[in-house]
């Protein structure tokens, strides 16, 4: 399965496919994501989100689409890209339920790390998972992330401030 997984930068043209994926996976992703307004699950909502990211300095956020056999299967984004002495970014991603547990997330994270440490020249990528998200923790560990700590009430997920485990991956050398 992982041979057919690719990642590319998202564009507004991805809005219809991303909206369909978001709607189809709304209940599946709800325990792992912030509470989203209904508009988020529409084509226009996705287009607006993609426009907002595109309006930022492209060096600050890198939204990407996860593709399986050329078809959208999730999202992966480098956010909060910091330059200067830090050279770091936060990683966030989700994979559609039908592709979950098949190595898609692992392959997508690997591809984005290649982008982060190659083209973007970052030194560090950080990711956070809910304490009970063992699947995402395995994805990160398979990609060389190490656990660096616990962040109490780190993000508001599923409507509540929840603790997260923090992980990081440093560039080789």
């Amino acid at each position: 399965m992982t041979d057919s997984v690719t990642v590319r930068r998202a564009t507004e043209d991805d809005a219809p496919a991303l909206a369909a994926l978001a709607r189809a996976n709304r209940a599946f992703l709800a325990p792992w994501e912030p509470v989203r307004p209904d508009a988020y699950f529409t084509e226009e909502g996705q287009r607006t989100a993609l426009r907002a990211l595109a309006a930022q300095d492209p060096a600050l956020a890198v939204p990407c689409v996860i593709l399986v056999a050329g078809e959208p299967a999730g999202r992966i984004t480098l956010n909060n890209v910091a330059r200067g002495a830090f050279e770091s970014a936060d990683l966030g991603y989700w994979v559609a339920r039908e592709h979950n547990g098949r190595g898609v997330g692992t392959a997508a994270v690997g591809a984005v790390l290649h982008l982060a440490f190659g083209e973007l020249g970052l030194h560090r990528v950080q990711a956070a998972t809910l304490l009970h998200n063992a699947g995402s923790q395995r994805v990160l560990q398979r990609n060389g992330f190490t656990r660096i700590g616990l962040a109490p009430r780190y993000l508001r997920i599923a409507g509540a401030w929840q603790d997260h485990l923090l992980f990081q991956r440093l560039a080789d050398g």
Side-chain angles (χ1 to χ4, degrees), residues 9-25:
R9 292 178 193 240
T11 70
E12 280 190 53
D13 293 340
D14 293 311
L18 292 174
L21 271 178
R23 281 190 306 274
N25 289 277

Side-chain angles (χ1 to χ4, degrees), residues 77-93:
T77 303
L78 291 167
N79 290 299
N80 306 317
V81 177
R83 295 300 185 169
F86 201 31
E87 296 295 339
S88 184
D90 292 318
L91 173 69
Y93 62 93

Side-chain angles (χ1 to χ4, degrees), residues 3-165:
D3 291 341
S4 65
V5 177
T6 57
V7 171
R8 67 164 169 73
R9 292 178 193 240
T11 70
E12 280 190 53
D13 293 340
D14 293 311
L18 292 174
L21 271 178
R23 281 190 306 274
N25 289 277
R26 188 173 188 171
F28 172 67
L29 295 173
W32 315 107
E33 296 223 323
V35 173
R36 308 265 192 206
D38 288 341
Y40 175 85
F41 300 92
T42 67
E43 186 176 323
E44 187 53 36
Q46 289 298 306
R47 194 176 309 285
T48 298
L50 290 167
R51 263 191 224 120
L53 286 169
Q56 292 183 31
D57 179 335
L60 299 179
V62 183
C64 296
V65 177
I66 300 168
L67 303 168
V68 173
E71 295 299 317
R75 286 278 309 269
I76 188 164
T77 303
L78 291 167
N79 290 299
N80 306 317
V81 177
R83 295 300 185 169
F86 201 31
E87 296 295 339
S88 184
D90 292 318
L91 173 69
Y93 62 93
W94 60 264
V95 174
R97 180 181 210 147
E98 69 181 278
H99 299 290
N100 206 43
R102 296 180 176 190
V104 173
T106 299
V109 169
V112 166
L113 288 174
H114 184 75
L115 171 69
F117 297 137
E119 179 185 327
L120 298 178
L122 297 177
H123 167 70
R124 177 180 176 276
V125 174
Q126 175 178 296
T129 73
L130 289 167
L131 301 182
H132 59 284
N133 192 343
S136 196
Q137 292 163 24
R138 281 191 302 275
V139 165
L140 296 173
Q141 290 165 344
R142 287 180 188 134
N143 277 287
F145 281 77
T146 55
R147 182 177 159 179
I148 58 172
L150 172 69
R153 298 178 47 154
Y154 187 63
L155 294 171
R156 187 171 18 206
I157 300 296
W161 289 102
Q162 297 197 45
D163 298 348
H164 281 67
L165 293 176

